[in-house]
């Protein structure tokens, strides 16, 4: 696709998060805390995608995601692809991988879990990837995608 046909304008430097399922756009915005950034951000949703039916895309100027941000993204939109843009060119493409362990990102859905009443960093093992299911290291209760709340 040529640049003039892009559905959302090209960016000069920064990160393009592509292939986000359309219904996960706002979850991604929330999990990455994009509302708090001063960077220029453009996004589109319900765009045509051969793989996903409808996809969303987010373009963040002058930002490159940290590892913990990539892990958060993987938890809400495992199909997303990260493109690093420099001088208008795609210099790197990364798939997001759901990590084996998730630490300090997600809340345990068990209200009685120690992580919910003491200052203990949450820790989970990923027991299923799609949909994502996490097992708490402390109480062993499962937290699924539907109940997943970020810290
Ligand atoms: N992009 C952008 N600004 C640029 C270059 C690329 O916003 N200066 C965006 C494109 O719009 C696209 C994504 O970055 O959404 C990846 O670009 P490219 O690899 O050229 O597109 P595709 O080949 O369609 O990527 P894929 O195969 O991952 O869909
Ligand atoms: Zn727990």
């Amino acid at each position: 696709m040529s640049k003039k046909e892009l559905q959302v304008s090209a960016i000069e430097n920064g990160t393009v998060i592509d292939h986000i399922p359309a219904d996960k756009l706002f979850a991604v915005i929330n999990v990455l805390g994009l509302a708090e950034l001063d960077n220029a951000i453009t996004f589109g949703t319900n765009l045509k995608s051969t793989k996903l039916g409808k996809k969303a895309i987010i373009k963040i100027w002058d930002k490159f995601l940290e590892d913990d941000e990539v892990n958060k993204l993987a938890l809400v939109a495992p199909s997303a692809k990260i493109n690093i843009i420099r001088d208008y060119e795609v210099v790197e493409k990364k798939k997001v991988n759901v990590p084996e362990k998730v630490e300090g990102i997600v809340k345990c859905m068990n209200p009685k879990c120690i992580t919910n009443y003491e200052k203990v960093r949450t820790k989970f093992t990923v027991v299923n990837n799609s949909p994502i299911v996490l097992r708490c290291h402390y109480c062993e209760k499962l937290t699924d995608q539907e109940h997943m709340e970020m810290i």
Side-chain angles (χ1 to χ4, degrees):
M1 195 186 264
S2 77
K3 289 221 164 75
K4 88 175 181 216
E5 292 171 72
L6 290 183
Q7 299 180 90
V8 180
S9 298
I11 66 171
E12 185 176 356
N13 285 294
T15 300
V16 173
I17 308 170
D18 200 355
H19 303 288
I20 302 167
D23 62 353
K24 290 285 152 47
L25 171 65
F26 292 98
V28 172
I29 289 173
N30 286 336
V31 82
L32 296 180
L34 299 185
E36 278 85 59
L37 291 184
D38 287 328
N39 306 51
I41 302 173
T42 53
F43 61 82
T45 189
N46 294 328
L47 306 175
K48 267 186 240 157
S49 161
T50 42
K51 278 179 244 164
L52 293 171
K54 283 180 172 179
K55 70 167 186 178
I57 190 165
I58 301 174
K59 303 189 178 189
I60 314 167
W61 285 70
D62 302 317
K63 177 165 176 68
F64 304 95
L65 300 178
E66 308 287 344
D67 287 348
D68 69 317
E69 294 174 311
V70 176
N71 287 346
K72 287 181 187 178
L73 173 63
L75 292 175
V76 293
S79 63
K81 304 277 179 313
I82 297 171
N83 298 275
I84 311 290
I85 315 294
R86 295 196 195 271
D87 288 325
Y88 286 104
E89 299 298 330
V90 179
V91 294
E92 199 184 335
K93 275 181 180 287
K94 294 194 254 189
K95 279 191 185 171
V96 305
N97 289 315
V98 178
E100 283 171 25
K101 303 260 180 216
V102 175
E103 295 191 24
I105 297 176
V106 178
K107 284 187 198 163
C108 178
M109 69 175 273
N110 171 12
K112 292 180 179 157
C113 179
I114 187 167
T115 60
N116 284 316
Y117 61 85
E118 278 184 30
K119 271 205 164 174
V120 177
R121 190 176 149 89
T122 63
K123 202 160 139 184
F124 300 89
T125 303
V126 178
V127 292
N128 197 58
N129 266 13
S130 166
I132 288 166
V133 181
L134 308 175
R135 186 195 295 117
C136 179
H137 171 78
Y138 297 98
C139 71
E140 299 200 332
K141 197 159 161 46
L142 301 179
T143 295
D144 59 17
Q145 199 133 32
E146 219 182 302
H147 296 93
M148 204 179 288
E149 259 187 74
M150 304 295 158
I151 288 168

